Every structure is written in structure tokens, then in C-alpha cells.
Amino acid sequence: MKGMTSTDVRTDGAGDPGRGNTQPRRSRTRGCLPFAGVCAAALVLLLLGSKLSLLPGFGDLFGEKTTDRSGPAVLKSIQDMSSYEAAAGNFQVVVDLEKDAKYLPDAIRGTRTLYVGAGTVGASVDLGKVGAGGVTVDEERTTAELVLPHAVLGKPALDPDRSYAVSKQRGLLDRLGDFFSDNPGSEQAVNKVAARHIGEAAKESGLTKRAEKNTTSMLQGLLGSLGFEKVTVRYADQPG
């Protein structure tokens, strides 16, 4: 009839509205609303938690907790040392390490790391290498002459408390690689470069000369306290 409107209904019968339960059609977008609401609430809670953790009293609620479940350290071996470490130098180097792909732009593949490496290098004299004729004492035991091997440099030891990365730029593929890697953002390469530069600087620093001077003073003081009036210390290449 004119003036009347029809309503869409779902029937369980064969086209007969009276034979089944009628229900209005539901919109397909209604099912997505609860999921979107949960995501929005989680995002708001995450952002709110990061802000509240900076306020007094809320740090314990949203702060991080670190648990150390490491096992005890196990002694593997013991090595007797006969070297006298007479000097040590503290060094610092700024490493600017860049790795590029040959046919790809830096935005796609490539890294550049600015890293400050700090460490120490020791210089020692191995007293255990003194030969049979390396020590000469007169009959009155008032004069002694010692021939020692030259001082040598030890391996650079980086200090993790004073070493840090200033900046690190990575291409898209490198970021994806770090995401799926078991060791993302590894600084092994810059550590090696920093140790190499520190070792080269130690060779030019005169650290071995300082170690030999300190060893001479130590031995002269030690033997002087035992009654020796004259103690001469020389450094020479030892026979292999």
C-alpha cells in the first residue's frame, strides 16, 4: 500500500516472515569496535605508564625490574705470573666506523657508528726470563748487576663503564637484521677498532721506557734494603 515502508528482515522459513524469528541485519563494523577500543586503551595505558614512571611513587608500578639469574663463575685454569707490571696508560679514542653496500644507498643498507672507546694498556718486565748469567753479585755482596729483558706491552683492555656509543645510523635492511638477530646492535666491530687504535697509541707513548725506569727503581730499592750498596740494572734482548 502507498504510504507504508518495508523493513529488511531475516527469515528462517522459505520467504515467509511468519514462520521464523525475524532479526534486523547487524552491521559488519560493530565487531571491530571492541578490538579497536582495546588497542586504543592499551596504547593510552602504555603512554600514561611511561609518563607516570617519572613521577614520585609511580616508578615501582611502571618501572623495569632487572633479575640476574646468572650461574656462578667457574675457574678454568690458573697461570703463574712472573711479570712485574711497572706502568699502565689510560687511553681514549673516538671511533667513526662506516660500512656501506656497493650498489645500495645508505638508507637501504649501511651503518655508521660513532663510538668512544676508553681502556688501559699495561707495560711489564718478565723477571722470569732472566737467564743464568743475568744476575752478578760480588764476593762482599755489596754490588749487584742485573740484565733484564725489555718491557713489553700488554693487550688493550677496554673499560665498559667508560666506553659508549654516541650515535648509530642504520639502513632499513640493517634495522630488520637487528630485529631478527639474537644479538642486535652488536658493538664487537667498533670494540676491535678501538682496541687496535689504543694499542697503536700505546706503542708511541713511551710506556715501555717508563716501565723499565720504574722496574729499575723497584729493584734498586729492594736490593738496597738487603745491604747492597750499588745495584746496576740493564735491559737487553734475551736469547730465544
Side-chain angles (χ1 to χ4, degrees):
M1 295 178 64
K2 296 182 179 180
M4 298 182 64
T5 58
S6 62
T7 302
D8 292 335
V9 296
R10 188 182 69 180
T11 64
D12 294 335
D16 188 357
R19 295 181 57 187
N21 296 328
T22 62
Q23 294 181 357
R25 290 183 178 177
R26 296 180 180 178
S27 175
R28 296 180 179 179
T29 61
R30 293 181 181 179
C32 300
L33 293 179
F35 178 76
V38 171
C39 294
L43 181 60
V44 171
L45 183 61
L46 178 62
L47 296 176
L48 184 61
S50 62
K51 298 297 184 182
L52 291 178
S53 62
L54 301 178
L55 299 177
F58 289 92
D60 295 337
L61 180 61
F62 294 99
E64 295 181 353
K65 180 181 178 181
T66 302
T67 303
D68 186 3
R69 295 189 175 90
S70 305
V74 179
L75 176 63
K76 290 294 187 179
S77 63
I78 295 178
Q79 182 178 0
D80 295 331
M81 305 298 293
S82 59
S83 297
Y84 173 67
E85 185 169 330
N90 295 314
F91 299 88
Q92 187 178 74
V93 60
V94 178
V95 177
D96 189 352
L97 185 63
E98 184 175 2
K99 293 184 178 181
D100 298 323
K102 189 173 182 180
Y103 298 108
L104 294 176
D106 294 342
I108 301 298
R109 182 65 185 271
T111 61
R112 182 176 181 180
T113 304
L114 190 63
Y115 181 81
V116 176
T120 59
V121 178
S124 60
V125 176
D126 193 351
L127 301 179
K129 292 184 178 180
V130 178
V135 179
T136 304
V137 179
D138 65 345
E139 296 180 356
E140 290 79 12
R141 297 184 62 83
T142 58
T143 302
E145 181 179 1
L146 294 84
V147 181
L148 307 180
H150 285 289
V152 295
L153 295 173
K155 293 183 179 180
L158 291 181
D159 187 353
D161 294 331
R162 297 188 293 126
S163 303
Y164 56 93
V166 178
S167 65
K168 186 171 184 179
Q169 302 173 4
R170 295 172 295 171
L172 178 60
L173 296 180
D174 297 278
R175 292 178 181 272
L176 292 175
D178 288 346
F179 180 77
F180 292 102
S181 175
D182 293 335
N183 187 22
S186 175
E187 297 179 348
Q188 184 178 6
V190 290
N191 284 335
K192 289 183 177 180
V193 174
R196 177 168 55 85
H197 284 295
I198 288 177
E200 293 173 353
K203 295 178 181 179
E204 304 296 332
S205 65
L207 198 58
T208 54
K209 295 295 184 182
R210 182 68 174 269
E212 292 177 1
K213 180 180 178 181
N214 293 340
T215 303
T216 298
S217 299
M218 182 273 295
L219 292 175
Q220 288 177 342
L222 177 62
L223 295 179
S225 65
L226 298 178
F228 287 89
E229 299 176 358
K230 182 180 179 181
V231 178
T232 302
V233 179
R234 296 188 297 107
Y235 296 89
D237 296 331
Q238 302 296 306

